[in-house]
Amino acid sequence: MGADDPDDGGVADGPTPCPDDVPFDWVGAWSERRARLSPEKVGLVDATTDRAFTYRELDAHANRTARLLREYGVADGGRVATLSRNRPELVDCFFATGKTGGVLAPLSHRLAPPELAAMLSTVDPELLLVEAPFADLARDVLGHDDCTVAPEMLVVADAEGSGSSALTVDWPRYGERLPADDSPVDFADVSLSDPQLFLHTGGSTGVPKETVVSHRSVVWNSFNTITAWGLRPEDTTPMVFPMFHTGGWNVLTVPLFHLGGTVVIAREFDPETVLRSIPEHDASVLVAVPAVLRTMCRHDDWGETDLSSLRFVKSGGGPCRESVMEAWWDRDVDLSQGYGLTECGPNNFAMPDGWSHKKSESVGVPAMHVDARVVDDDGPVPRGEVGELELAGLHAADGYWQAPTESAETFGDGWVSTGDLARVDADGYYHVVGRTKNMYVSGGENVYPPEIESVVSTHPKVEEVVVLGVPDEQWGQVGKAVVEGDEGLTLEELREFLDGKVARFKLPKHLAFVDEMPTSGPSKIDRQAVEERFGES
């Protein structure tokens, strides 16, 4: 009935609802829409080969790749897995799966064959793209007892002979199979509820789970990032996260593609090359893990590198030490901490305009379209109290692939359980104080290791530190500081340094040293490996 129909009381019909399962032409049409808006703007730079790609070229590549993927059945939910470092072909696959309705499932080349065999079997891809240097690894994975799938294989290389010393398998070459036709392709009917990415978790508690990231999640995380961080079409970033990690896609890559910005990738991006790339590409935004930021500001080239193009830098993937933040602030760079996880976002918080450095230990306030709360077993806790951080919003993932029990535990009630402990201060800033599994109880008092680590790391003889709770007959558990740094440091010297800075029951009662902290994922400290080695008193 219309608005003037007397039988409807003069009330017009409401709009037709648009649920997530309704296909829209724009869903998955990232490269096609951006190429129409910004055809000659450079969207991607491959620093390894010194090639730049306009959005027109990226869309043409995506059309060729879409035709290739359809030949292998990577359409309408079919999956393409990759075992590769950051390279343009992964971007082509991201754009192409949007066109075909397929799913991109990048796998970490840093994992061992048993882990990859189990993960590949879970993903069950129609096609596996392998970068040439990892051909032998892929062969070991496919031959492992835990691998129950046999996808079609294509090998990717930079040029003829590149990585050929590692290429001991006779699989077809990606470049040779890629169709020449780059004209527009027919789009699949793709809705926001359809999966776009399978991204695996860090795997610190066993074989990594595959997180199902829908088109809705990707789009809304992009909205959050653009609005909360103030991204601009003219922004350029060196992408230092690997593209098998949510950071490689959803921290800055997709949001900048959304706007028409520029992303710079490379096969290897160590701190020295990141420093060099900032003035070389007029980089305006940078997001990296604390270890990378720390190494950059301690590099010999730090003082001579022109950082004036940077509008802001974000640290993510763990707490950033105050000394590192001060080093960047001293260079007039706006550095603050972010927070996210594969299961939600990963961009959830932002620092308000004009924020004070007194809030530097916080991750800020919730972004535009993010709900956050801190809870215990009885529900939300008052401000100032510690509980588990939970997040909600349209940017959340849908669950874990073929893992209903784990999905119910993490996503079950509409809130994503992060497993991180946090508190909200009087001004509404969120402070992440540690993982639920890392907290320990000493003499009946809860101890949160990051609080102690933050202070220990300011000692001049300490480069990096992990604090563990270890068994103690008198107190149940006490702290053990595992330090990377000057082994001349004594426990007594450390405790004297900490006295008055933290409560006495939090002072470590044991001290151990490592030459270098073990890492997992994109340069994140592997706390589980530290605990396995040093978890006894």
Side-chain angles (χ1 to χ4, degrees):
M1 298 181 181
D4 298 327
D5 195 312
D7 290 339
D8 67 7
V11 178
D13 292 341
T16 302
C18 294
D20 278 358
D21 59 359
V22 171
F24 291 100
D25 290 344
W26 58 266
V27 178
W30 289 96
S31 63
E32 185 266 343
R33 294 298 176 100
R34 181 42 61 191
R36 185 186 303 172
L37 292 167
S38 313
E40 302 309 321
K41 177 72 182 294
V42 172
L44 184 71
V45 175
D46 182 4
T48 298
T49 60
D50 199 28
R51 291 191 62 191
F53 302 87
T54 66
Y55 280 105
R56 185 197 304 277
E57 291 171 325
L58 287 174
D59 187 51
H61 282 229
N63 289 331
R64 297 177 67 192
T65 306
R67 289 184 167 87
L68 177 71
L69 295 184
R70 280 195 167 123
E71 289 179 14
Y72 286 91
V74 184
D76 303 321
R79 294 170 289 283
V80 53
T82 60
L83 195 61
S84 173
R85 295 168 298 177
N86 293 2
R87 53 184 307 124
E89 288 85 353
L90 271 65
V91 174
D92 296 343
C93 284
F94 175 84
F95 287 144
T97 50
K99 294 172 182 279
T100 69
V103 180
L104 174 60
L107 303 177
S108 171
H109 54 79
R110 298 172 181 168
L111 297 176
E115 296 170 300
L116 285 168
M119 293 166 60
L120 190 67
S121 299
T122 299
V123 171
D124 191 14
E126 280 69 25
L127 177 64
L128 174 62
L129 299 185
V130 180
E131 189 182 10
F134 308 113
D136 287 347
L137 173 61
R139 182 189 58 190
D140 292 343
V141 170
L142 293 169
H144 195 277
D145 291 342
D146 291 339
C147 186
T148 61
V149 298
E152 296 287 340
M153 307 290 300
L154 291 177
V155 174
V156 184
D158 285 326
E160 185 67 28
S162 176
S164 59
S165 61
L167 190 55
T168 59
V169 288
D170 187 23
W171 293 325
R173 306 303 192 261
Y174 173 89
E176 296 174 359
R177 292 297 178 93
L178 196 64
D181 186 358
D182 62 6
S183 64
V185 297
D186 291 333
F187 276 62
D189 288 336
V190 180
S191 68
L192 287 170
S193 62
D194 289 323
Q196 182 164 23
L197 294 165
F198 280 5
L199 295 174
H200 55 73
T201 58
S204 60
T205 57
V207 174
K209 299 181 289 290
E210 292 291 339
T211 307
V212 180
V213 181
S214 68
H215 287 268
R216 181 203 67 247
S217 302
V218 174
V219 168
W220 278 96
N221 175 76
S222 184
F223 287 153
N224 281 329
T225 309
I226 292 168
T227 55
W229 293 0
L231 296 183
R232 305 170 183 173
E234 60 268 23
D235 279 332
T236 295
T237 189
M239 178 43 56
V240 301
F241 290 100
M243 285 181 165
F244 57 73
H245 185 271
T246 185
W249 296 104
N250 293 318
V251 167
L252 283 174
T253 299
V254 175
L256 286 181
F257 286 160
H258 206 162
L259 285 169
T262 304
V263 177
V264 181
I265 62 171
R267 307 301 171 271
E268 307 292 344
F269 242 151
D270 58 33
E272 181 179 356
T273 59
V274 179
L275 275 176
R276 190 165 58 246
S277 72
I278 292 170
E280 181 179 348
H281 298 285
D282 288 326
S284 54
V285 294
L286 171 67
V287 184
V289 297
V292 170
L293 297 174
R294 174 170 63 92
T295 308
M296 288 174 68
C297 68
R298 295 181 181 181
H299 193 274
D300 291 342
D301 295 339
W302 171 251
E304 303 301 321
T305 301
D306 182 2
L307 305 178
S308 61
S309 62
L310 287 172
R311 293 197 300 110
F312 68 83
V313 174
K314 281 280 187 180
S315 172
C320 189
R321 309 303 186 202
E322 185 176 355
S323 61
V324 175
M325 301 186 78
E326 288 177 345
W328 285 84
W329 296 338
D330 288 344
R331 296 294 312 275
D332 295 323
V333 175
D334 179 15
L335 169 62
S336 60
Q337 300 195 77
Y339 174 86
L341 61 164
T342 306
E343 292 86 344
C344 195
N347 299 321
N348 294 281
F349 295 90
M351 304 303 286
D353 294 343
W355 66 279
S356 169
H357 286 176
K358 294 178 181 179
K359 297 293 188 181
S360 63
E361 291 188 355
S362 80
V363 296
V365 299
M368 284 287 291
H369 309 292
V370 179
D371 284 344
R373 67 182 186 180
V374 177
V375 303
D376 61 15
D377 291 340
D378 298 321
V381 303
R383 283 192 173 186
E385 293 190 12
V386 173
E388 183 179 2
L389 175 62
E390 293 188 337
L391 301 166
L394 294 172
H395 65 311
D398 290 351
Y400 301 120
W401 183 248
Q402 295 184 347
T405 301
E406 292 87 346
S407 294
E409 292 173 353
T410 301
F411 303 89
D413 62 354
W415 289 87
V416 177
S417 299
T418 67
D420 283 314
L421 295 166
R423 63 177 176 85
V424 185
D425 68 22
D427 299 315
Y429 286 71
Y430 281 68
H431 299 252
V432 178
V433 301
R435 295 286 293 171
T436 54
K437 64 180 181 180
N438 293 334
M439 183 195 80
Y440 64 91
V441 181
S442 185
E445 298 281 358
N446 293 342
V447 182
Y448 306 103
E451 176 189 1
I452 309 166
E453 293 164 357
S454 180
V455 182
V456 173
S457 68
T458 63
H459 193 287
K461 293 183 179 179
V462 175
E463 295 288 333
E464 189 55 85
V465 60
V466 169
V467 173
L468 307 171
V470 297
D472 183 82
E473 289 186 5
Q474 182 177 2
W475 303 109
Q477 287 181 299
V478 295
K480 183 175 187 177
V482 181
V483 169
E484 175 187 330
D486 185 347
E487 297 190 16
L489 177 67
T490 65
L491 179 61
E492 291 71 25
E493 181 183 354
L494 180 61
R495 286 172 61 87
E496 182 178 349
F497 176 80
L498 296 176
D499 194 21
K501 297 182 176 74
V502 299
R504 291 194 62 82
F505 70 85
K506 299 177 182 178
L507 296 178
K509 288 184 167 53
H510 303 278
L511 177 63
F513 292 90
V514 291
D515 293 333
E516 185 177 2
M517 288 290 179
T519 58
S520 66
S523 301
K524 293 174 65 174
I525 292 176
D526 188 341
R527 298 186 71 99
Q528 183 181 11
V530 176
E531 186 169 354
E532 289 173 353
R533 182 178 173 186
F534 297 99
E536 299 297 328
S537 56

